Structure formats: C-alpha cells, structure tokens
Amino acid sequence: MAFILGLVLGITIGLAVVVGFVKSENHRSKRRSELATTIAAFARMTVEDSRKILPAEYYPSWLNWLNQHLSKIWPYVNEAASELIKTNVEPVLEQYRPIILSSLKFSKFTLGTVAPQFTGVRIVEEGGDSVTMDLEMKWDGNPSIILDIKTLVGVRLPVQVKNIGFTGVFRLIFKPLVNELPCFGAVCYSLKEKKDLDFTLKVVGGDISSIPGLYDQIEGTIRDAIEDTLTWPVRKIVPILPGDYSDLELKPVGTLEVKLVQAKELTNKDLVGKSDPYAVLYIRPLRDRMKTSKTINNDLNPIWNEHFEFIVEDESTQHLVVKIYDSEGLQASELIGCAHVRLNELQPGKVKDVWLKLVKDLEVQRDTKYRGQVHLELLYCPFGMENGIANPFSSDFSMTSLEKVLKSGANGTDITENEKEITQKKREVIVRGVLSVTVISAEDLPPADLMGKADPYVVITLKKAGTKNKTRVVNDSLNPVWNQTFDFVVEDGLHDMLIVEVWDHDTFGKDYMGRCILTLTRVLLEGEYKDSFQLDESKSGKLNLHLKWMPQPILRDC
C-alpha cells in the first residue's frame, strides 16, 4: 500500500540512520569514523557532482556499508516500528477515509523480512550548517498488511495489500552540523520523488471488485495519503542532539488565488442525458484544505466562475491539482479527468490564464484520449512579495491577493503581521464600476442557412447580474461588422463574467452559432483592451471585442 509503504520507508531510513549512528558512537568503532568522514566528504563535493544522482559505484564502500547494516538491523526495525506505525498511521488514514466507508483500520501490520536497498546518492545543496542529500532507494518488500474495512451498510471487508514494489528518492537533511559525534543535531527526511509504485488490493476470501468503485476509492485514499503526509515538502524530523529544530519544520510561504472559470467538451459519463460535473481542487489533499465547486447539472460545458484560496508551503515543488467528477447523487462520483499546474511555472504577483487538458491519471503519461479542458485563472503571491496595501476603507481588514493586485499592482513591499495570519477572516472589497463592451465584428462564422449564409447577431450577458444586451442583425454575412457599444453596471467585478453568444436570426426562430466566455480579470487589471476570441461550440469563427473598465470600488458588508 502506497501510503504505508511511503511512511514505513521514511521511518525506516530515519531509524536506520539513527540506530547506525548511535551504535557507532556507543562502540566508538572504525565505522563511526568512516561515516563522519563520508559526511564531511559529501559537504565538500563539487557543484557539478551535486546536480545528479550518483550511482552506487561512485561511493561503493559507503553505500554497501549502509545496505549491509540496514539488512542486519532490519528485524529489529520491523519489530520496533510495526506497532509504532500502526498506532500513528490509523488516525492519519481516518483523515483520508472515503465517504463510502465508516472505518479504515489495520488488523495486521508487519514490514516483512526484506530490507530496502540504496542504489544512488546526490548532494542537493551545500551550507555552512547543514548537508542535504538525496538517496535513491528500491524496495520489493514482503510486508504483511491487512486492512479492516467497514462500509456504511455495515459490511466488513479484510483487505490485504500485496505485491508491493517501490523505487523512489528520499531526501535527508542533516542539520545543524556540530563538532560532536554524530556530527549533526537532527535528521529530517521526506519522500522527494516517487519514481515507481505498485501494489494490489485483495479481499481475503473474496473479490474487491464486487463492490463498484471500492477498489478505486481505497487506492486513491492510499495515494493521496502518501502524497500529503510524506512527500516533499512535508518532512519528518528526528532530533539526535538536544536543540531547537523548528527551522526544519514545514511552514507557509505564500497563498495561491484560483478562479475556476469553466470547462468545455467534457467526456459524457451518463447513458441518459449529460454528466453533472463538479470540480475538486487542492494543493495538499487534506480534507479541510480541499475545495469543491458547485455541481452544474446536465452540462458538458459547465461555467463555475468560483474563487478559491490555498496555502503554499513550497512553490518550487508543489502543484495545484484539479479533478473533474460526474456527480452520481448517493453513489460514488465518477472521475471525468484531472489536470495539474506546477507552482514554479507561475510568475509571483502576476495573474496567469490557463486552459488545461484533462487526463485520466496524472502519473500516466501515455493517456492520449481527449477528455475535455478546464479553464483557470491563477495568482501566486509569496509572503514578502505581496503588495501590503491596506484596505482603503478600513486598515483593520486585509484584501485577497487578487484584490491587492487590482488596487495597486505588485510592489514587493512587506506584508503586515495581520496579513500573515492565514486563518483570519478576510473582508473583501467589491470591485464596482461600469464595463463598456464594443462588439466590433466577427470572422469566418459557420454557415447556418441552406444558401450557405447566416443572419448573425450577438447577445451579451453579464452572468451574475443577469443583464443582457444584443446587437442588430446583419443579413447574409459570415463576416458581419457591428461596431456597437454597450455599457453594463457591474456590482462585483471579481466574481462576475461576460457570456457573449452568436445567434443566427430566422423568421420563425433562431439558431445557436457559438459563444465565448470572458472573466473580467483582464479588463480590471489593464483598464482597456481589444482582442479576438475563438467561438466555443462552433466549427469556426471568432469575435473581435473591445472592453473598457471604469472602476468605483466599495466595501462589502459582512
């Protein structure tokens, strides 16, 4: 099981290192000197060597020594760690327990007789008071792990975790370096990279596939748990010498503002009608930090326009995950597709507009089936780079990061202590004003009449306010020109959007030709812009629009 495997491997490394060092110090053996010398040698490695994982041949004596001693002490680690892990992991599993289960516990847990083997090493960085190393490790273990699962309907299932195979890279931070043995005050460990992970689940005396969705739910729980509890930047700290090691702990470094705009061309999961999509977004898959959108019924091109905020601990390695599901009511929801964005791809303080293609599995690179796309607007603001601009109407309340950008642009000034308090309730500023929309023209519209022409006109809707305007009809044209301007009073610019639809006018009705959906973020930031927009739900065609914003911000009552 992935989560247990990851936790076991992490704790095993920590215990093995600690036991090895303590044993070395107690016996004052030759091995202790070799290890201290090796750590010192790592600290003096060249920058060129430190950039890559070096195979076992580079440091054969040290890795062989480590593997040999890990194998020797493995039975003791197994005996000591199994009960400890079982006791500490069960509460963590409860945090990730699928809704369809009422309990998820261990009935049996042992690590088995096969110790992991280290196959490579790399020094990540040099520092005056620390050594950071990545150890590549492989484990084809034979643990005995049985989960006692109870469903909401009262059915108990003993589920065995079998055929575990794992290859990954663990990060070890030795800090601070000191003059007394074992040469460092604490060791911090984390799963830096999960290269390969295989395991199977089997109901003892039965078939887990007999309960629809259960296998996927349990497997997803395991993978989410390992992703959040042991994968970098999450780290475990083992003190060796007395001291304060709080600087090694995981701490927030910024916030990510996310606007879930829409999705299009989603795969239909229903036999009758269309899917009822909703989105789940997270950086870390903790239940209280995952965000869920509203469900849009019977729509493969849903519009959400919802805003979420996330805590970021390490922008260099973390990523935002978006999963789109089809709601099935009381039954388990079915995954339509998922996507992710690496935070290191975002420019701090700048809004990024992205369309992401959905895939079945983020770890499977061979998935080529088209499952639709999801549209996001993202803004990452590290602490210390936020604007620090106080709410102009009350200095006692902070604005969201996006609101600060809209008010002043990213100035890079320090934020106040109040703004660093992530859990405080924020009082938002309503971005109020007048939006001027000029519908200039359209190009290459699809023919809608038998004669290969169309009589197009445009309907503009301010979604939240419900205000509508429409242009005149241009007869017999696939490249109509309107040059008509409409003004909209916008009460909440951050949370409203434009839906611009093109229709073909007929004597006895109208035909839908396509649409484009625009948030107001760009016009709020730039004040005015002109651009061309491809029509969605249409074989061809684009709209040429000119947008202008005249703001009048006011304070929201709350």
Side-chain angles (χ1 to χ4, degrees):
M1 156 176 162
F3 167 63
I4 302 303
L5 173 61
L7 190 58
V8 167
L9 295 180
I11 292 179
T12 298
I13 292 175
L15 290 173
V17 172
V18 172
V19 171
F21 285 137
V22 172
K23 183 178 178 181
S24 298
E25 183 176 356
N26 290 339
H27 291 279
R28 298 184 178 276
S29 66
K30 180 180 178 182
R31 296 299 186 186
R32 181 191 63 197
S33 300
E34 292 178 356
L35 183 57
T37 302
T38 301
I39 292 178
F42 282 150
R44 295 192 299 269
M45 283 181 65
T46 66
V47 174
E48 182 178 356
D49 286 339
S50 70
R51 290 173 180 168
K52 56 183 179 297
I53 290 281
L54 299 176
E57 291 77 9
Y58 194 91
Y59 287 110
S61 60
W62 186 79
L63 284 176
N64 288 339
W65 175 87
L66 185 58
N67 287 328
Q68 289 173 6
H69 279 70
L70 183 57
S71 297
K72 288 179 181 179
I73 67 172
W74 184 255
Y76 305 100
V77 173
N78 179 28
E79 182 178 353
S82 292
E83 186 60 33
L84 177 64
I85 293 172
K86 179 180 177 181
T87 302
N88 285 275
V89 169
E90 282 186 345
V92 178
L93 281 178
E94 184 63 22
Q95 298 180 44
Y96 298 89
R97 175 176 51 82
I99 298 177
I100 62 175
L101 303 180
S102 61
S103 68
L104 180 59
K105 298 181 179 180
F106 294 111
S107 61
K108 185 176 182 180
F109 187 101
T110 60
L111 299 179
T113 59
V114 179
Q117 294 291 296
F118 297 102
T119 58
V121 63
R122 172 181 63 186
I123 298 301
V124 178
E125 58 189 20
E126 296 183 17
D129 65 340
S130 67
V131 173
T132 302
M133 91 173 54
D134 286 347
L135 284 173
E136 188 175 59
M137 189 178 64
K138 182 178 181 179
W139 189 36
D140 293 318
N142 61 345
S144 179
I145 302 173
I146 298 180
L147 289 167
D148 183 19
I149 294 175
K150 184 177 180 180
T151 65
L152 290 177
V153 295
V155 178
R156 286 187 174 273
L157 298 172
V159 176
Q160 184 178 11
V161 184
K162 302 179 61 179
N163 304 324
I164 294 177
F166 173 81
T167 302
V169 177
F170 278 87
R171 171 161 291 183
L172 295 152
I173 302 175
F174 301 91
K175 184 177 182 179
L177 300 180
V178 295
N179 293 327
E180 58 180 304
L181 290 170
C183 304
F184 53 88
V187 59
C188 170
Y189 65 90
S190 174
L191 180 60
K192 179 63 174 62
E193 183 180 352
K194 187 168 78 263
K195 292 186 175 181
D196 185 39
L197 174 61
D198 293 311
F199 63 92
T200 57
L201 303 173
K202 185 181 188 312
V203 173
V204 179
D207 182 7
I208 195 171
S209 62
S210 61
I211 302 180
L214 182 59
Y215 188 103
D216 291 339
Q217 289 280 343
I218 297 175
E219 183 183 33
T221 296
I222 293 169
R223 294 186 183 276
D224 284 347
I226 186 175
E227 181 74 21
D228 187 64
T229 57
L230 200 61
T231 302
W232 184 266
V234 179
R235 70 289 305 262
K236 306 296 181 182
I237 302 170
V238 180
I240 305 300
L241 301 174
D244 180 12
Y245 306 112
S246 58
D247 58 330
L248 291 173
E249 297 175 355
L250 184 64
K251 298 177 181 179
V253 297
T255 58
L256 177 68
E257 306 271 351
V258 179
K259 179 176 284 189
L260 173 67
V261 182
Q262 61 176 316
K264 66 179 182 181
E265 301 170 353
L266 297 179
T267 301
N268 192 7
K269 294 293 184 177
D270 291 348
L271 296 177
V272 179
K274 298 177 182 179
S275 296
D276 306 317
Y278 69 92
V280 175
L281 303 90
Y282 60 86
I283 291 179
R284 294 177 59 186
L286 287 170
R287 285 187 181 177
D288 59 349
R289 294 176 64 171
M290 299 172 72
K291 311 295 184 180
T292 302
S293 75
K294 61 180 177 286
T295 299
I296 308 297
N297 293 322
N298 197 39
D299 197 340
L300 300 181
N301 297 280
I303 302 172
W304 289 288
N305 197 38
E306 295 186 57
H307 177 267
F308 306 101
E309 183 173 316
F310 299 90
I311 298 170
V312 178
E313 285 97 354
D314 185 355
E315 74 280 1
S316 64
T317 59
Q318 288 185 307
H319 51 267
L320 173 74
V321 175
V322 184
K323 295 185 176 180
I324 310 296
Y325 292 91
D326 174 27
S327 176
E328 298 292 347
L330 297 178
Q331 300 181 9
S333 298
E334 188 172 359
L335 179 67
I336 296 175
C338 53
H340 71 147
V341 179
R342 299 187 183 279
L343 301 190
N344 59 12
E345 297 175 355
L346 305 179
Q347 183 178 353
K350 300 294 184 181
V351 176
K352 183 171 183 177
D353 186 292
V354 294
W355 278 95
L356 303 175
K357 290 185 177 180
L358 299 175
V359 296
K360 181 179 181 180
D361 191 322
L362 295 176
E363 296 186 7
V364 177
Q365 304 299 321
R366 297 184 300 274
D367 182 17
T368 59
K369 180 180 178 181
Y370 185 75
R371 304 172 187 276
Q373 300 181 63
V374 62
H375 183 196
L376 305 174
E377 287 181 352
L378 308 168
L379 172 65
Y380 171 56
C381 284
F383 297 145
M385 283 194 66
E386 289 184 293
N387 313 290
I389 302 300
N391 187 321
F393 309 99
S394 173
S395 60
D396 296 331
F397 298 96
S398 64
M399 295 181 287
T400 66
S401 301
L402 181 56
E403 288 165 343
K404 294 173 187 176
V405 170
L406 295 175
K407 286 296 296 178
S408 65
N411 298 323
T413 56
D414 293 335
I415 60 174
T416 66
E417 288 300 318
N418 287 336
E419 289 172 320
K420 290 182 180 179
E421 187 62 41
I422 299 173
T423 57
Q424 77 177 47
K425 181 178 180 180
K426 294 185 176 180
R427 195 170 186 180
E428 298 181 1
V429 168
I430 294 180
V431 181
R432 184 177 185 272
V434 176
L435 176 67
S436 178
V437 181
T438 300
V439 183
I440 302 172
S441 62
E443 301 175 29
D444 194 27
L445 294 179
D449 297 337
L450 295 177
M451 302 301 294
K453 293 288 186 177
D455 305 317
Y457 67 96
V458 175
V459 177
I460 310 170
T461 304
L462 194 62
K463 187 176 186 336
K464 189 173 182 179
T467 310
K468 290 187 178 182
N469 278 298
K470 66 179 181 179
T471 68
R472 65 180 179 274
V473 176
V474 178
N475 294 319
D476 297 325
S477 177
L478 300 181
N479 297 281
V481 176
W482 292 283
N483 281 322
Q484 289 183 257
T485 300
F486 307 95
D487 291 335
F488 295 87
V489 176
V490 180
E491 297 293 341
D492 190 359
L494 285 177
H495 304 97
D496 217 329
M497 66 194 319
L498 280 177
I499 300 177
V500 186
E501 299 175 314
V502 181
W503 294 84
D504 171 48
H505 175 75
D506 288 329
T507 303
F508 301 104
K510 59 184 180 179
D511 296 319
Y512 178 69
M513 300 181 70
R515 71 180 181 184
C516 57
I517 298 172
L518 310 175
T519 69
L520 305 188
T521 305
R522 181 178 173 186
V523 72
L524 293 178
L525 289 170
E526 299 181 12
E528 182 177 4
Y529 73 90
K530 184 186 297 185
D531 208 343
S532 296
F533 302 92
Q534 291 294 135
L535 287 179
D536 290 331
E537 305 175 5
S538 175
K539 294 181 179 179
S540 64
K542 62 181 181 180
L543 275 175
N544 300 311
L545 304 175
H546 179 203
L547 278 69
K548 185 176 181 180
W549 174 252
M550 291 159 283
Q552 182 187 357
I554 62 173
L555 186 65
R556 181 196 303 274
D557 290 331
C558 59

